[in-house]
C-alpha cells in the first residue's frame, strides 16, 4: 500500500488552510465550531458542519418550485445531488447533443443557498440513452469519454465530488457484465476516472455502489480495485456507499468497512442513504449509520436519497427523514443528536491534516470562477 500516489486537490488544500487559520485563531470566523464547546445545532447541515462534514439530499428539480420542498431543503441541508438530472440519458439524449437544464437548475439553486453539489453519475450501466445500446468497441469507448468530457467539463469547478462510475460490481465481487464491461474490458473504469480527472481536476472522484454496507464479497472486490488504482496512480479520491437499507439491516461491520477504505487513503461518503420502515426501528438504523460515519475521520458527509417520503423512489416504504407532509420523523432526531455529539474530524495519521478542514464556506461555488 502506498499513500504517495494520493492526489491533493485544490479543494482539499483550501479546506486545510481554513482549518489551520481557524485553529490558530487568525481567522476565527465561526465557520468551525468544536463539538465540546458548541451548542446543539437545530438543522442537519449545521449539526454536520460542526464536525467538518456535510449533510446533503438528492433533489429532483421539478419539485424545487414547491414551497415546502424548497423550504425544507434550504433549512436542513448544505449539500445536494441531482437524483436523475445529471445522468447520461438526461444530459446527452442524442449523441453529442448535451442538455443541462435540470442539472443547471439544481446547481443554480445550490449556489444561491451556498450549498455544495455532488455529481451523480458520469457512467452507469442503467439510464443510458438508447443510442448507446447499439455501440461497440472503440465507438462505445469514444462515446463514454466524450460524455464524461461533456458533462464533467460543463460543471467543472462546481462539483465537490463526482460519482464517476456507478454500480460496476456484482454481489460476488466480480465485475458486472454490462455493455461497458463486455465491450471495453476491465480497463473501462480506469479510463473513465482518467477522463474525469482531465475534465474537472478540482472535483474529488468517487466510485459509488450499493450493497457495500458490510465487509462482504462485493466490498472486497471494490476494495481491491481502489487499492490497485492507488498503487498505480489512477486518480481516485473517494468511495461512495449508497446505503439503501431496511430497518432490519445488519450494521455489524458497516463502520469497519468504511474504515478499511479510509485506511487505504480515500475519503468515504454515504451517498444515497434511505431506510425503509418507521418509528424507532427505522431511527435505530439511521442512528447506526450516522454513528459509523462520525467515527471515521475520512467520512466526509452523508447524503439522503430524497427529502420527503412523498417523492422517494421507495415511497411506499417511507424511507426518509421527513414524512409526506414534511414533518420530522423519529429518525430525524436520532440523526441530529448523533451529528451534534460528533467530535471534529481528526487527522487520519497520514501526515495530511485534513481533519477539521471542511467548511462549506471554503467550497462555496462562488469561490470558483465559472467555466
Ligand atoms: O431515485 C432514482 C429514480 O428516480 C430513478 O427512476 C432511478 C432510475 O434507475 O434511479 C434512482 O436513483 C438510483 C441512483 O441513481 C443509483 N443508485 C440507486 C438509486 C435508486 O434506484
Amino acid at each position: 500500500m502506498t499513500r504517495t500516489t494520493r492526489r491533493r486537490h485544490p479543494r482539499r488544500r483550501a479546506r486545510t488552510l481554513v482549518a489551520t487559520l481557524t485553529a490558530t485563531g487568525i481567522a476565527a470566523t465561526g465557520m468551525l465550531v468544536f463539538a465540546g464547546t458548541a451548542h446543539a445545532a437545530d438543522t442537519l447541515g449545521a449539526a454536520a458542519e460542526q464536525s467538518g462534514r456535510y449533510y446533503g439530499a438528492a433533489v429532483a428539480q421539478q419539485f424545487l418550485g414547491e414551497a415546502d420542498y424548497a423550504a425544507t431543503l434550504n433549512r436542513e441541508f448544505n449539500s445536494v445531488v441531482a437524483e436523475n438530472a445529471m445522468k447520461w440519458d438526461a444530459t446527452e439524449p442524442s449523441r453529442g447533443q448535451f442538455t443541462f437544464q435540470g442539472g443547471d437548475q439544481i446547481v443554480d439553486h445550490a449556489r444561491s443557498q451556498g450549498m455544495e453539489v455532488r455529481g451523480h453519475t458520469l457512467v452507469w450501466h442503467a439510464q443510458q440513452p438508447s443510442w448507446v445500446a447499439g455501440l461497440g468497441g472503440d465507438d462505445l469507448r469514444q462515446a463514454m469519454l466524450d460524455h464524461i468530457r461533456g458533462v464533467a467539463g460543463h460543471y467543472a469547478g462546481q462539483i465537490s465530488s463526482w460519482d464517476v462510475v456507478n454500480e460496476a460490481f456484482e454481489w460476488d465481487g466480480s465485475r458486472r457484465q454490462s455493455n461497458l464491461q463486455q465491450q471495453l474490458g476491465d480497463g473501462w473504469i480506469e479510463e473513465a476516472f482518467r477522463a474525469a480527472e482531465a475534465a474537472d481536476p478540482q472535483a474529488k472522484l468517487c466510485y459509488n455502489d450499493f450493497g457495500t454496507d458490510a465487509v462482504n464479497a462485493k466490498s472486497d472486490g471494490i476494495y481491491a480495485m481502489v487499492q490497485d488504482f492507488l498503487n498505480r496512480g489512477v486518480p481516485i479520491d473517494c468511495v461512495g456507499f449508497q446505503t439503501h437499507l431496511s430497518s432490519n439491516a445488519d450494521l455489524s461491520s458497516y463502520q469497519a468497512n468504511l474504515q478499511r477504505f479510509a485506511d487505504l487513503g480515500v475519503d468515504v461518503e454515504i451517498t444515497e442513504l434511505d431506510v425503509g420502515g418507521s418509528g424507532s426501528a427505522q431511527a435505530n438504523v439511521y442512528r447506526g449509520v450516522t454513528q459509523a460515519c462520525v467515527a471515521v475521520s475520512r467520512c466526509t458527509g452523508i447524503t439522503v436519497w430524497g427529502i420527503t417520503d412523498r417523492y422517494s423512489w421507495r415511497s411506499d416504504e417511507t424511507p426518509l427523514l421527513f414524512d409526506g407532509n414534511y414533518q420530522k420523523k423519529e429518525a430525524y432526531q436520532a440523526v441530529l443528536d448523533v451529528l451534534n455529539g460528533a467530535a471534529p474530524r481528526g487527522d487520519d495519521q497520514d501526515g495530511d491534516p485534513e481533519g477539521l478542514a471542511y467548511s462549506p464556506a471554503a467550497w462555496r461555488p462562488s469561490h470558483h470562477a465559472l467555466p
Side-chain angles (χ1 to χ4, degrees), residues 122-257:
L122 293 172
V123 194
W124 187 20
H125 66 276
Q127 283 184 284
Q128 295 179 355
S130 53
W131 60 266
V132 172
L135 304 184
D138 285 343
D139 202 16
L140 178 60
R141 173 175 289 106
Q142 195 58 51
M144 178 184 84
L145 298 176
D146 288 346
H147 178 71
I148 293 170
R149 197 172 304 126
V151 178
H154 176 77
Y155 290 111
Q158 304 186 74
I159 301 294
S160 55
S161 53
W162 262 114
D163 293 333
V164 177
V165 170
N166 194 42
E167 301 176 7
F169 280 78
E170 296 285 0
W171 287 104
D172 66 1
S174 67
R175 291 289 188 88
R176 182 190 290 273
Q177 291 303 310
S178 64
N179 60 332
L180 297 151
Q181 181 69 25
Q182 292 186 333
Q183 293 294 324
L184 309 183
D186 277 346
W188 73 271
I189 299 183
E190 172 177 346
E191 290 176 57
F193 273 82
R194 291 190 193 281
E197 163 78 353
D200 185 356
Q202 281 182 279
K204 292 198 296 179
L205 307 179
C206 299
Y207 175 80
N208 190 52
D209 215 326
F210 66 89
T212 50
D213 315 303
V215 176
N216 58 26
K218 186 170 185 176
S219 59
D220 283 352
I222 296 164
Y223 182 90
M225 179 189 72
V226 173
Q227 191 169 39
D228 172 53
F229 278 17
L230 292 171
N231 284 337
R232 293 190 297 110
V234 179
I236 186 166
D237 302 287
C238 38
V239 174
F241 298 81
Q242 294 186 11
T243 319
H244 294 293
L245 298 174
S246 306
S247 292
N248 63 358
D250 175 5
L251 295 179
S252 53
S253 63
Y254 188 87
Q255 181 182 322
N257 193 45

Side-chain angles (χ1 to χ4, degrees), residues 83-84 87 120 124 127 166-167 242 244 272 305 313:
E83 185 172 358
N84 290 298
K87 292 172 181 173
H120 175 85
W124 187 20
Q127 283 184 284
N166 194 42
E167 301 176 7
Q242 294 186 11
H244 294 293
E272 304 184 16
W305 203 243
W313 72 296

Side-chain angles (χ1 to χ4, degrees), residues 112-123:
S112 76
Q113 298 293 320
M115 299 170 177
E116 60 175 68
V117 185
R118 298 199 73 253
H120 175 85
T121 176
L122 293 172
V123 194

Side-chain angles (χ1 to χ4, degrees), residues 18-90:
V18 170
T20 306
L21 295 174
T22 305
T24 55
I26 294 169
T29 58
M31 290 186 289
L32 287 166
V33 184
F34 292 89
T37 56
H39 46 257
D42 60 3
T43 65
L44 300 168
E49 192 175 339
Q50 292 180 118
S51 69
R53 295 181 171 84
Y54 66 82
Y55 207 94
V59 167
Q61 67 280 1
Q62 63 267 31
F63 303 129
L64 284 172
E66 187 181 307
D68 286 344
Y69 187 92
T72 308
L73 171 63
N74 297 349
R75 186 185 71 233
E76 296 288 343
F77 298 95
N78 58 6
S79 173
V80 293
V81 64
E83 185 172 358
N84 290 298
M86 293 190 191
K87 292 172 181 173
W88 199 342
D89 61 349

